[in-house]
Amino acid sequence: MNPSRTGNEQPVNPAEPVKTDLALDITTDVCPLTFVKTKLMIEGMEPGQTARVRLNDGETLKNVPRSVEEHGHVILSLEPETEGSTVWLLVLQKN
């Protein structure tokens, strides 16, 4: 699956993790709880802070990044955790 991209993403190399202020793992959750948890985390962040979100492919991969952008935040990167993985890493920045 190839999620929509804005062109602003930077690749994440799992061997060199991107430093973020917060981290959230929503791989055991289902929509709409996936974005609810992501939104609650973002609401507790200060503008400019970054967060890494682990999410599964499929509906979550399609909806969470789109919703983050629709709420005015920036997707810094969106890449598979490892090559061929069904778990993705989303790095976002609160605006």
Side-chain angles (χ1 to χ4, degrees), residues 18-89:
V18 174
K19 290 183 170 77
T20 58
D21 299 302
L22 297 168
L24 177 66
D25 186 339
I26 54 173
T27 56
T28 60
D29 299 309
V30 295
C31 290
L33 191 57
T34 52
F35 184 65
V36 171
K37 285 186 173 185
T38 304
K39 184 178 178 189
L40 289 172
M41 178 190 62
I42 293 169
E43 287 175 354
M45 294 169 62
E46 295 294 324
Q49 281 190 306
T50 58
R52 176 193 309 260
V53 181
R54 290 183 77 234
L55 60 154
N56 291 322
D57 64 1
E59 187 177 349
T60 301
L61 181 59
K62 177 182 164 187
N63 293 333
V64 171
R66 183 188 70 228
S67 297
V68 166
E69 288 184 320
E70 286 175 356
H71 282 82
H73 309 294
V74 178
I75 302 296
L76 299 175
S77 65
L78 180 60
E79 297 291 329
E81 189 170 50
T82 58
E83 189 172 333
S85 177
T86 60
V87 175
W88 288 67
L89 297 176

